[in-house]
Each structure stands twice: as structure tokens, then as C-alpha cells.
Amino acid sequence: VQLQASGGGLVQAGGSLRLSCAASGRTFSSYVMAWFRQAPGKEREFVSAISWSGGSTFYADSVKGRFTISRDNAKNTVYLQMNRMKPEDTAVYYCAAGELVRVSRYEYDYWGQGTQVTVSS
């Protein structure tokens, strides 16, 4: 599976962005999809994940209630809608594919290239 993330940019605090991650390959619908982020000088951290069917979603406490993950298996794409953004959301955001929902980045087999998100105060 090859992943291509897009949709990053510069937004003011309180604003919104939607990230997309397009996947190649016919097995997209069998993978758990997740978003991670990495701020300068910090470890890559879990943001959100969605089951293969889209029926279950998971969020880090820091984004719960503000971010929404979704997927469209017909389009081989996973999305991250980010609302009420904060300066501390500034990071490079990565999409990832794996077999199980895990918060550890080491449990995911495939990664996109990352897209920069910057939230100004």
C-alpha cells in the first residue's frame, strides 16, 4: 500500500482544515488507517484511527471533540477533519496503515510522506 497525504497548510487558531490520505492498492479496505503527527523536537504521536469498516474510531485525548476521522473505501481515501484548531496542533501529519488499531507508531506497516499543518495564534 502506498499512501499520499495532502491538505495541510496555514490556519489561524480556531479555524479548520481537512487532511486527505489517498491509498493505492486494492486492499485498502482491509487496513486500519491512522493519523499521527510530529512537532519539531518531539516524538511522533498518535492522533486518530479508524477501523477497516469505518464503524469504530479512536482519538487522542488532545483532539477528542475537535477532530473527526473518516474513510471512503470506494475512493481508497481516509480523511481527518480538524476543527477549532490550536497552535499546539502545529506539526507534520502522517497517515499510516496497519492491521490493528494501536497508538504506537511501530505497529503500522505503511506510511505517507507527511503534510505540514501550522496553526497561528
Side-chain angles (χ1 to χ4, degrees):
V1 177
Q2 291 186 322
L3 305 175
Q4 179 76 33
S6 63
L10 174 64
V11 64
Q12 289 187 332
S16 299
L17 278 177
R18 188 174 84 152
L19 305 183
S20 299
C21 177
S24 63
R26 292 176 290 179
T27 58
F28 171 79
S29 60
S30 65
Y31 285 99
V32 166
M33 297 299 298
W35 289 95
F36 285 74
R37 67 187 182 186
Q38 188 167 16
K42 295 188 176 181
E43 293 288 319
R44 191 171 299 186
E45 65 174 3
F46 172 82
V47 174
S48 183
I50 187 167
S51 63
W52 64 270
S53 68
S56 297
T57 56
F58 308 85
Y59 298 94
D61 288 344
S62 58
V63 306
K64 201 171 294 182
R66 301 187 297 120
F67 290 11
T68 302
I69 191 171
S70 61
R71 68 190 296 164
D72 185 337
N73 287 341
K75 295 182 178 180
N76 281 9
T77 303
V78 62
Y79 305 96
L80 185 68
Q81 177 68 45
M82 305 184 291
N83 298 328
R84 291 183 286 137
M85 297 185 72
K86 304 175 181 180
E88 50 263 44
D89 294 323
T90 296
V92 177
Y93 282 70
Y94 298 89
C95 57
E99 295 186 359
L100 298 172
V101 174
R102 292 289 186 267
V103 297
S104 168
R105 61 187 171 113
Y106 300 107
E107 301 290 339
Y108 289 85
D109 302 311
Y110 304 98
W111 290 86
Q113 85 290 2
T115 184
Q116 176 70 48
V117 171
T118 303
V119 185
S120 63
S121 57

